[in-house]
Amino acid sequence: GRTPNVDYTLMRRRQIVDFLESIKEMPDLTPFEVDEKMEELIQMGPHVPSVLLDLLRRCDDDETIEIIAYALEYLGDEEIVEPLIDIFVDTETREEVKLRLLSTLASYGVDARDPEFAEIFEEAFDNIEEVMERSTEDMLAAMQNSDEAITFLLENYQEFPPQAKLELVTQFGEKKDERAVPLLKVLAVLQEPQIAEAAISYLGKIKSPLALAALNDIIAEIQDTELKKAAEKSARRLRLMEVQPPPATAKPPDGEIYKVILSFFDGTGSRILAFSRYVGADKSHVESINLMLKSSIGVADCYGSKSLSVAEFGEMIETLKEEVGGCEISYEYGLLLLKDALWQNQDGAQPVPPTFFLWKPFFRDADVS
């Protein structure tokens, strides 16, 4: 007899739901490992985008929303922009989903600050001011608990037009909240004078020892004379407000370098340079910074982790070697390669990624200015 037609839709949906749940059960994934998971997801077939969009409409779990939204960004499929906007303006869509979709849409070049998007934005939210306030508070809370949240914001920052970058500084600076200090500190050392000046000014209005410590670090790091004077002025302001720097604590010795790995070129002129050093006396965990170097521009991307088990770092490196090959090199040679790449950034038109300045403290025993 005839074989009955089988509708595999529910089976495929279940497969994707189970996969998303498995990612939730691995909270300590590195960005590299998350992207590996995204590649696995894409391999499940052409139905993946439509299933993800449908799940997003109905999802009421914030962690799952985050994973789905990132997956939709990772797809890079322009055909999903219109369905995303439909979800964005749907009155049945939860506001938590809409807020997360702002960055997803931004990854496809849809700017929420663009006048052409204003009508869509107003249609999506009843009280825009309240929504923006909630969004800022949510980001501050996330940044307090996770360097990954700051990394995510800085990665999106690179795509912002100049005015939007300034608005971002204002959005967080006006809160006068010490949770914004790490972000403002990074923005203050980027090679963007107007942004840096605004960030330095706002740091001088945050009545917190953390803000004063950040300004002292900025004074020591930046080379621009005018910005250095601005940072000194902001620091003086805090001292006049009787803000004291954080109490000095005995600094633990710099962790011994564990491994430095250099991948081979991937066929497009890119390779990965991964540094790691031990955290803690038992040498069971490492902190790491991983940089993508492009032969044409210098440092193209950067991400890091404050704590990976030695086994997790090893798995990441083995995956890297399987994909493009690589070898272990000395810390000194790795620093030379990094400095050469940073020189290319300075000499060319491609600025150093903002995320590099977030993870730069890894090199506390070396000069990589």
Side-chain angles (χ1 to χ4, degrees):
R2 293 180 57 193
T3 303
N5 292 323
V6 179
D7 185 356
Y8 289 104
T9 305
L10 291 177
M11 186 185 300
R12 289 167 174 167
R13 179 188 175 92
R14 183 71 258 167
Q15 182 187 25
I16 292 173
V17 170
D18 289 345
F19 187 77
L20 297 176
E21 287 296 322
S22 73
I23 296 177
K24 281 175 59 179
E25 293 171 6
M26 296 180 281
D28 297 324
L29 289 174
T30 65
F32 184 83
E33 290 168 330
V34 171
D35 288 350
E36 282 188 320
K37 291 294 180 185
M38 294 301 106
E39 287 294 336
E40 287 181 44
L41 182 61
I42 290 172
Q43 296 305 314
M44 291 183 182
H47 57 281
V48 168
S50 60
V51 173
L52 290 176
L53 288 166
D54 186 54
L55 289 172
L56 187 64
R57 286 181 183 275
R58 308 164 190 273
C59 189
D60 60 2
D61 175 75
D62 290 346
E63 194 175 351
T64 305
I65 291 169
E66 182 66 36
I67 297 169
I68 294 173
Y70 182 74
L72 290 168
E73 292 167 18
Y74 192 87
L75 285 171
D77 182 358
E78 296 290 339
E79 292 186 6
I80 69 172
V81 173
E82 193 170 333
L84 281 174
I85 291 177
D86 288 340
I87 295 173
F88 187 69
V89 299
D90 191 334
T91 56
E92 299 296 318
T93 303
R94 294 170 64 233
E95 285 205 343
E96 288 77 8
V97 175
K98 294 183 180 184
L99 285 170
R100 181 57 182 83
L101 279 183
L102 286 173
S103 57
T104 305
L105 288 167
S107 73
Y108 285 97
V110 179
D111 183 3
R113 299 170 179 83
D114 191 322
E116 293 183 9
F117 190 70
E119 188 175 336
I120 295 172
F121 192 77
E122 290 174 8
E123 184 181 346
F125 297 107
D126 294 329
N127 187 330
I128 294 175
E129 293 300 322
E130 181 182 328
V131 166
M132 293 306 291
E133 180 69 17
R134 276 182 55 200
S135 177
T136 304
E137 283 294 329
D138 288 347
M139 282 303 302
L140 284 170
M143 288 191 293
Q144 184 180 25
N145 299 317
S146 169
D147 284 325
E148 281 72 21
I150 305 177
T151 299
F152 175 79
L153 189 58
L154 289 172
E155 286 174 345
N156 281 287
Y157 170 87
Q158 291 179 274
E159 308 300 324
F160 289 178
Q163 186 57 36
K165 290 180 178 180
L166 198 55
E167 288 175 11
L168 178 75
V169 179
T170 303
Q171 176 186 353
F172 288 100
E174 290 289 346
K175 299 293 291 182
K176 299 180 182 178
D177 190 314
E178 71 173 16
R179 293 175 295 178
V181 168
L183 174 66
L184 293 174
K185 181 180 176 182
V186 170
L187 297 179
V189 296
L190 298 182
Q191 296 175 355
E192 299 175 315
Q194 188 179 17
I195 303 300
E197 186 177 351
I200 287 168
S201 176
Y202 280 121
L203 281 169
K205 298 175 183 178
I206 300 174
K207 195 174 180 180
S208 161
L210 293 179
L212 181 55
L215 286 165
N216 288 337
D217 289 344
I218 291 165
I219 292 166
E221 180 168 344
I222 58 176
Q223 305 299 317
D224 186 284
T225 304
E226 292 303 314
L227 289 177
K228 191 181 289 285
K229 286 181 180 177
E232 290 169 347
K233 180 180 177 181
S234 283
R236 280 197 303 273
R237 173 180 176 152
L238 289 183
R239 287 194 291 270
L240 287 171
M241 295 165 65
E242 300 184 348
V243 175
Q244 299 294 322
T249 56
K251 289 181 64 178
D254 287 327
E256 177 188 343
I257 292 295
Y258 172 51
K259 286 184 179 181
V260 181
I261 306 295
L262 179 67
S263 79
F264 301 143
F265 285 102
D266 63 0
T268 65
S270 299
R271 55 181 174 174
I272 301 294
L273 179 59
F275 294 86
S276 62
R277 66 165 80 234
Y278 288 114
V279 177
D282 63 358
K283 295 187 175 182
S284 63
H285 285 72
V286 297
E287 60 176 325
S288 72
I289 179 169
N290 309 290
L291 305 116
M292 177 182 285
L293 310 183
K294 288 189 77 72
S295 55
S296 56
I297 62 173
V299 180
D301 199 4
C302 171
Y303 65 88
S305 175
K306 291 288 181 65
S307 181
L308 285 175
S309 71
V310 169
E312 288 170 331
F313 181 78
E315 288 172 8
M316 182 180 76
I317 295 307
E318 284 306 311
T319 301
L320 180 66
K321 288 181 177 179
E322 286 174 10
E323 291 184 353
V324 291
C327 59
E328 187 171 348
I329 60 174
S330 71
Y331 182 48
E332 291 71 24
Y333 183 49
L335 287 173
L336 284 173
L337 292 173
L338 173 57
K339 289 179 180 181
D340 181 64
L342 291 170
W343 178 260
Q344 284 181 278
N345 287 109
Q346 182 174 313
D347 201 41
Q350 182 83 10
V352 178
T355 47
F356 173 75
F357 297 96
L358 179 65
W359 298 105
K360 187 180 174 184
F362 178 96
F363 302 105
R364 49 194 173 270
D365 57 354
D367 179 13
V368 290
S369 59

